[in-house]
Amino acid sequence: MEEARIQFTDEEGLIISEADQQQALELFVAHELTILALKAEEISLETTFLMITKEQNK
C-alpha cells in the first residue's frame, strides 16, 4: 500500500519542502499553544479578581 503524499506550494507555485512544511506546522502549533496559555492566564486572573472581590464584599 502506497503512502499518500501532499505537496504544498507557495504563492508563486513553488513546491515547499517537507522540512519547511514541518517547521511551519511546528510554528503554527507553538503559536496556538501560546494563545491557549494566554487565555488560561487571563481566566486565572479573572478568577482571582472575582475571589478577591467576593472576599471584600463579605
Side-chain angles (χ1 to χ4, degrees):
M1 183 174 211
E2 290 186 33
E3 183 179 326
R5 296 204 106 17
I6 298 173
Q7 290 186 328
F8 293 94
T9 58
D10 64 10
E11 298 84 21
E12 298 173 359
L14 299 174
I15 295 173
I16 300 172
S17 72
E18 285 188 36
D20 286 345
Q21 290 176 41
Q22 183 65 32
Q23 184 179 21
L25 179 59
E26 289 170 4
L27 288 171
F28 174 76
V29 170
H31 172 76
E32 292 298 307
L33 289 174
T34 300
I35 290 172
L36 288 173
L38 290 170
K39 287 181 180 179
E41 181 65 22
E42 180 182 7
I43 290 168
S44 175
L45 290 171
E46 288 174 358
T47 302
T48 301
F49 175 76
L50 290 173
M51 289 171 58
I52 291 170
T53 303
K54 182 179 176 182
E55 284 297 315
Q56 289 177 345
N57 288 336
K58 280 188 174 179

